[in-house]
Amino acid sequence: MILVGLTGGIGSGKTTVSEMLAARGAVIIDADQITRELQAPGSPVLEEIVAAFGSDLLDSAGVLDRAALASKVFGDPEALARLNKIVHPAVGREMASRLEAQRTTTNVVVLDIPLLVENPREGLCGTVVVDLPLDLAVERLVRLRNMSHADAQARISRQASREARVAIADRVIDNSGDLESLEVQVDSVWRWMRSLPPAAADAGRVSRS
Ligand code: ATP
């Protein structure tokens, strides 16, 4: 297995890049997607969230209103810590189990982790950062995600800085251009990924700080 970390700020284009890599044959382990799966109606994680934050977070079909949950914990470090304590261990276990299933393969496995700077992983064969100017990330979040300008800016300002992310990168993908320019860069990054030496037997563990 070749194990690569993929990260970037909110709205930078991580999911878009992951999809392009998957189309070229990469196996994607996506922390956000796993989080959503583990919060499906009837799941133990969702039950714990409702017990802690209230059943008004569910719609009539029992689906979690993620935006309402985000606004409940946003700017409230204690509530955020409570939520993380419910969600993070379950997501960590699921990511570890998907990683174990890949360990003896020859696949290129991409860990798509928004907070990779804050939560580093050991033994990655390489790290890719999707980067773009902050005002463009805000513009895309407002236009394509229905976020308010103030909300997008506030979320970005709480993340690791652009410089801190680029500092951990072996390869930086510049997503300030169009999707065609992104495809060209993903082609090059995909070639680079496949040339990397395989991961050590215990690669991918969360680093202890
Ligand atoms: P999040 O941090 O919110 O999960 P993300 O980093 O996964 O976001 P994407 O969802 O891939 O980012 O991209 C954010 C939005 O910008 C999406 O609507 C996506 O379709 C769009 N987008 C990504 N790259 C480009 C591009 N080069 N040109 C135009 N739109 C783009």
Side-chain angles (χ1 to χ4, degrees), residues 188-206:
S188 159
V189 162
W190 174 240
R191 269 196 304 278
W192 168 75
M193 285 178 176
R194 285 188 303 160
S195 75
L196 292 168
D202 60 349
R205 295 221 172 91
V206 177

Side-chain angles (χ1 to χ4, degrees), residues 9-17 32 140-141 143-145 175 177-179 182:
I10 177 169
S12 60
K14 297 177 294 298
T15 307
T16 309
V17 168
D32 275 350
R140 284 190 185 151
L141 289 168
R143 185 166 49 91
L144 302 164
R145 288 279 177 77
N175 193 18
D178 57 16
L179 292 172
L182 196 59

Side-chain angles (χ1 to χ4, degrees), residues 23-168:
R24 286 157 175 80
V27 172
I28 310 296
I29 300 180
D30 177 335
D32 275 350
Q33 186 197 334
I34 289 173
T35 305
R36 282 193 294 275
E37 285 173 22
L38 290 176
Q39 294 173 347
S43 68
V45 168
L46 185 54
E47 278 174 24
E48 275 192 70
I49 291 173
V50 168
F53 296 98
S55 55
D56 55 326
L57 290 172
L58 300 181
D59 70 11
S60 55
V63 174
L64 176 65
D65 181 342
R66 285 165 56 90
L69 177 60
S71 60
K72 272 200 186 198
V73 301
F74 195 67
D76 180 345
E78 207 179 291
L80 181 61
R82 225 175 334 138
L83 177 63
N84 285 345
K85 213 170 153 198
I86 297 169
V87 175
H88 282 181
V91 172
R93 277 194 301 275
E94 182 59 25
M95 289 189 80
S97 131
R98 292 189 191 185
L99 193 53
E100 281 318 308
Q102 293 297 325
R103 229 175 251 294
T104 55
T105 71
T106 56
N107 292 332
V108 175
V109 179
V110 176
L111 294 178
D112 177 347
I113 303 181
L115 302 183
L116 188 61
V117 169
E118 296 85 342
N119 304 292
R121 298 270 172 159
E122 284 173 10
L124 297 176
C125 307
T127 297
V128 177
V129 170
V130 188
D131 182 56
L132 77 180
L134 299 186
D135 55 353
L136 183 53
V138 170
E139 188 268 315
R140 284 190 185 151
L141 289 168
V142 169
R143 185 166 49 91
L144 302 164
R145 288 279 177 77
N146 281 331
M147 233 182 242
S148 76
H149 198 269
D151 193 17
Q153 270 184 328
R155 280 166 200 249
I156 285 174
S157 72
R158 276 165 202 260
Q159 293 191 325
S161 70
R162 204 177 158 191
E163 292 73 25
R165 263 192 305 269
V166 168
I168 67 160

